[in-house]
Amino acid sequence: MIYKGIIERYGKYLPVTGKTPVITLYEGNTPLLRAKNIEKFLGGNSEIYLKFEGANPTGSFKDRGMTMAISKAVEDGSKAVICASTGNTAASAAAYSARAGLKCSVIIPDGSIALGKLSQAMMHGAKVIALRGNFDDALKIVLEITEKYPLTLVNSLNPYRIEGQKTAAFEIIDFLGRAPDYHFIPVGNAGNITAYWKGYKEYVRSPKSEVRSQKNKDIGHWTLDIGLPKMMGFQASGSAPIVRGKPVKNPKTLATAIKIGNPASWKKAEQARDESKGIIDTVTDGEIIKAYKLLASLEGIFVEPASAASVAGLIKYNSKLKIKNEKLVIVCTLTGHGLKDPDRAIKSATQPKVIDQNMKKILKAIGL
Ligand SMILES: *Cc1c(COP(=O)(O)O)cnc(C)c1O
């Protein structure tokens, strides 16, 4: 068994050289799970796959970008990094910084970060600053600091983050032998939808792509025999600046990872939407929680609420896309693990019964 992180696996598509020190926790290579029960629930002929990014080392897709950002920071001689975060970037930056021996500071919106993420950042030894304000305020401050001080910014404005994150699209193509027809994805700061679209375009068109070289071995040049997916992005309805067409001052959603009112990659997300002929739309918190519970109860996959926005979007578009009638291949990205936000899980489920050590009562409670 040889473990490889995304840099070792896909280095030829990434801005690294043999001299780049690889700081890895063996991120990537996450499961692409066929969701047969959700297929049945939606009632159609389409194949639905779930890219479970909660299986990354710190529990979210942020690790793909962070292995790149931290490796390049070390290569460039940086001694310290900083980010604003709704939580998962902080957890990932803290872990990879610990491994690299870098100092790490994170600025988080006070009160709007899930417990699991906060505990990770603290345990990995980052300086955690809880800001009175929201994510957008935190990002503004971090940008001001990195302009004046020698700290490396590891938010998704750091182009190496996008480069690392695009490898999720590579993995999907390697697994399916093609790109999906539709790709559903949550949208917060909009770095990930940008990264997937970049990844799909580059991999489908690359002469180095394993899929292309298998399919077109004797053609010798790129042909468009692998189509590109339509990118289907979903923001929470109380936090949907791209859909509304203007920044949201006080974004509101229980999906804290996408509670962002002024996304850094706004323009690039619109570009991904338009080039792919996809859409960016909203889902309500109610729809998010419904999908969150469905994933756990029907497929055995526990995600954090923001991650379920992709599946909530799929449910919303089920009849519009004619998923029922057509044989489509659909991928939904599930961005982070459910254990990140234990409070929400406990609030969303039936509380356990407290029972005396009485066999009769226990059997009754089990339903026997
Ligand atoms: C960061 C994050 C998102 C949003 O991704 P963007 O690149 O900011 O659009 C969604 N879900 C989870 C779990 C995240 O950590």
Side-chain angles (χ1 to χ4, degrees), residues 15-17 20-21 67-78 160:
V16 291
T17 68
T20 309
T67 184
M68 275 298 300
I70 298 294
S71 296
K72 293 301 284 189
V74 172
E75 183 175 15
D76 297 341
S78 172
Y160 298 125

Side-chain angles (χ1 to χ4, degrees), residues 168-314:
F170 298 175
E171 289 176 13
I172 290 168
I173 294 178
D174 281 340
F175 186 87
L176 295 175
R178 54 166 287 178
D181 298 304
Y182 289 92
H183 189 114
F184 286 75
I185 185 167
V187 174
N189 218 15
N192 213 26
I193 190 171
T194 302
Y196 269 91
W197 182 238
K198 188 170 199 287
Y200 278 127
K201 282 193 298 186
E202 286 181 12
Y203 210 56
V204 163
R205 290 172 185 176
S206 169
K208 290 179 277 187
S209 151
E210 282 159 40
V211 170
R212 199 217 67 95
S213 46
Q214 274 167 27
K215 292 214 163 170
N216 297 342
K217 215 173 264 162
D218 38 26
I219 298 173
H221 62 86
W222 172 64
T223 55
L224 228 170
D225 65 335
I226 311 171
L228 288 163
K230 292 185 170 60
M231 298 303 298
M232 310 289 282
F234 289 88
Q235 302 192 293
S237 56
S239 176
I242 298 176
V243 182
R244 313 267 177 245
K246 57 173 196 281
V248 176
K249 249 217 155 79
N250 290 305
K252 286 193 177 69
T253 172
L254 53 77
T256 51
I258 53 172
K259 190 175 167 186
I260 291 172
N262 192 8
S265 299
W266 187 322
K267 285 271 137 23
K268 286 185 178 153
E270 288 183 337
Q271 209 178 319
R273 175 195 66 193
D274 298 342
E275 283 179 17
S276 73
K277 301 185 174 65
I279 55 119
I280 296 178
D281 200 355
T282 60
V283 283
T284 64
D285 278 6
E287 289 167 331
I288 288 173
I289 289 297
K290 193 178 157 201
Y292 169 69
K293 289 182 171 177
L294 213 64
L295 281 162
S297 62
L298 284 186
E299 297 292 357
I301 303 172
F302 186 24
V303 299
E304 64 167 284
S307 306
S310 54
V311 173
L314 173 62

Side-chain angles (χ1 to χ4, degrees), residues 30-33 35 38 49-56 59-61 183-186 192 196 291-292 295-296 299-312 331-337:
T30 54
L32 186 67
L33 296 152
I38 290 183
Y49 294 88
L50 306 169
K51 184 66 171 159
F52 184 41
E53 290 290 280
N56 276 298
S60 85
F61 74 83
H183 189 114
F184 286 75
I185 185 167
N192 213 26
Y196 269 91
Y292 169 69
L295 281 162
E299 297 292 357
I301 303 172
F302 186 24
V303 299
E304 64 167 284
S307 306
S310 54
V311 173
V331 172
C332 299
T333 294
L334 305 176
T335 44
H337 203 287

Side-chain angles (χ1 to χ4, degrees), residues 307-327:
S307 306
S310 54
V311 173
L314 173 62
I315 295 169
K316 181 170 176 173
Y317 275 77
N318 187 29
S319 46
K320 275 187 216 167
L321 295 183
K322 304 190 182 69
I323 291 169
K324 267 197 171 75
N325 314 326
E326 287 181 45
K327 260 185 127 77

